[in-house]
Amino acid sequence: MIVDYHMHLRGPANGREGPVELTVEAVERFVEQAAARGVDEIAFTEHMYYFNELADFPEHPYQRGKVAHDLDTYCDAVVEAKRRGLPVKLGLEVDWLPGRLDELAEQLTPYPWDFLLGSVHIVDGEAVDMDPGLWGLLTVEAVWSRYLAALRELAKSRLVDVLAHPDLPKIFGKRPGPGALASFNEQAATAIASAGTVIEVSTAGLRKPVGELYPSSDLLTRCRALGVPATLASDAHVSQDVGRDFDAAVEHLRWAGYETVTVFDGRVGRQEPLG
Ligand SMILES: [Zn+2]
Ligand SMILES: [Zn+2]
């Protein structure tokens, strides 16, 4: 089985990110692309900061500027597509929010999620994945170590089922020395394993300055050794990116020793043979 468990529901646009389009027709375009790339099932994981119902949570100006959509409309579009028999799952990309994870968990409870995807994008009020963002405030070593602290807290909270792009700070190719990086990987893998969280192998990094899959071979191997399950992810913001570069992602998983991929239903995960 091949899944793509990370994407954003957008309408068509000429090669660039299209406008948010929360309709079954938009879902169908993503499903068609998945079928063309041999992906059996896809999951939508829209950013939580797009939704009016969750407008109280985002603090970063970029995220606050995106609040404009109805969470019920999003859920209804995906649930309706599912009802029509399309191979889709309902998820949400949830941001790490220090001190507010319990409150957020409560707000998200009424919705029919298949899984929640957790991301650390913002640390100390600045973005890890923007330039200069957090990089303008802290040394490279400090960015990685602050990110690790946030990732560990997010995993430990058990608010989310899967961690997105686990080594996101490599996005611009800035990394600490080999010793510090090995220590990051060891601590991240241990925290993820003890929380019982799943990680994603994401091809999005191939389209970023770093030009690599998330996570690195070293982090993925450590996760595998500790029994951490995995999903596959494109982080598509246009339907054309669904399942993009998945040969590389599947090979990455196999190389690290993975023989299964995680499939979610109603926030319960199970393992299916990979491929
Ligand atoms: Zn993300
Ligand atoms: Zn995403």
Side-chain angles (χ1 to χ4, degrees):
M1 178 137 187
I2 299 290
V3 301
D4 184 343
Y5 266 15
H6 186 160
M7 65 193 66
H8 300 270
L9 191 52
R10 300 286 184 274
N14 296 329
R16 302 183 47 205
E17 178 169 351
V20 172
E21 189 191 318
L22 307 178
T23 64
V24 177
E25 292 66 35
V27 169
E28 281 169 348
R29 283 183 221 111
F30 282 74
V31 168
E32 277 166 26
Q33 183 65 71
R37 288 228 166 90
V39 174
D40 301 299
E41 181 174 280
I42 61 175
F44 293 93
T45 52
E46 195 48 73
H47 289 292
M48 61 173 276
Y49 54 76
Y50 275 78
F51 297 112
N52 297 315
E53 291 89 333
L54 305 171
D56 186 35
F57 291 100
E59 284 170 10
H60 192 278
Y62 171 82
Q63 296 191 344
R64 293 200 64 81
K66 297 287 187 187
V67 178
H69 304 277
D70 192 343
L71 186 55
D72 286 324
T73 309
Y74 166 63
C75 294
D76 288 351
V78 178
V79 168
E80 173 58 18
K82 202 195 273 197
R83 196 192 63 78
R84 292 186 196 178
L86 298 179
V88 298
K89 292 286 164 72
L90 178 65
L92 189 74
E93 185 169 3
V94 172
D95 270 81
W96 176 67
L97 295 160
R100 301 194 66 190
L101 295 180
D102 288 346
E103 205 183 327
L104 182 58
E106 202 172 308
Q107 285 263 106
L108 296 178
T109 300
Y111 299 92
W113 310 117
D114 286 304
F115 71 101
L116 292 176
L117 179 64
S119 296
V120 176
H121 298 117
I122 311 288
V123 174
D124 299 340
E126 290 290 344
V128 176
D129 55 353
M130 288 181 194
D131 190 10
L134 192 60
W135 305 93
L137 290 183
L138 301 176
T139 63
V140 170
E141 288 71 21
V143 169
W144 280 77
S145 105
R146 292 291 300 125
Y147 174 87
L148 175 63
L151 189 73
R152 292 168 82 162
E153 270 190 49
L154 180 57
K156 212 170 76 180
S157 77
R158 297 178 194 245
L159 168 65
V160 296
D161 306 294
V162 183
L163 290 169
H165 38 63
D167 53 355
L168 181 66
K170 74 178 179 188
I171 185 167
F172 301 117
K174 297 176 193 168
R175 282 176 261 235
L181 195 56
S183 164
F184 170 93
N185 290 337
E186 191 203 334
Q187 292 184 70
T190 305
I192 294 164
S194 57
T197 315
V198 176
I199 52 156
E200 66 170 27
V201 167
S202 170
T203 60
L206 295 171
R207 308 190 299 275
K208 304 293 182 190
V210 68
E212 288 179 17
L213 297 161
Y214 301 113
S216 66
S217 300
D218 186 43
L219 178 51
L220 188 60
T221 308
R222 290 175 194 266
C223 284
R224 175 72 188 106
L226 295 174
V228 174
T231 64
L232 285 158
S234 65
D235 205 347
H237 285 70
V238 289
S239 61
Q240 290 89 337
D241 281 344
V242 175
R244 188 179 286 279
D245 300 316
F246 267 30
D247 288 352
V250 170
E251 197 187 311
H252 197 48
L253 276 171
R254 288 202 192 285
W255 178 88
Y258 282 87
E259 291 171 355
T260 64
V261 67
T262 313
V263 171
F264 281 96
D265 269 304
R267 300 204 66 187
V268 178
R270 66 172 197 275
Q271 298 305 302
E272 291 287 340
L274 175 65

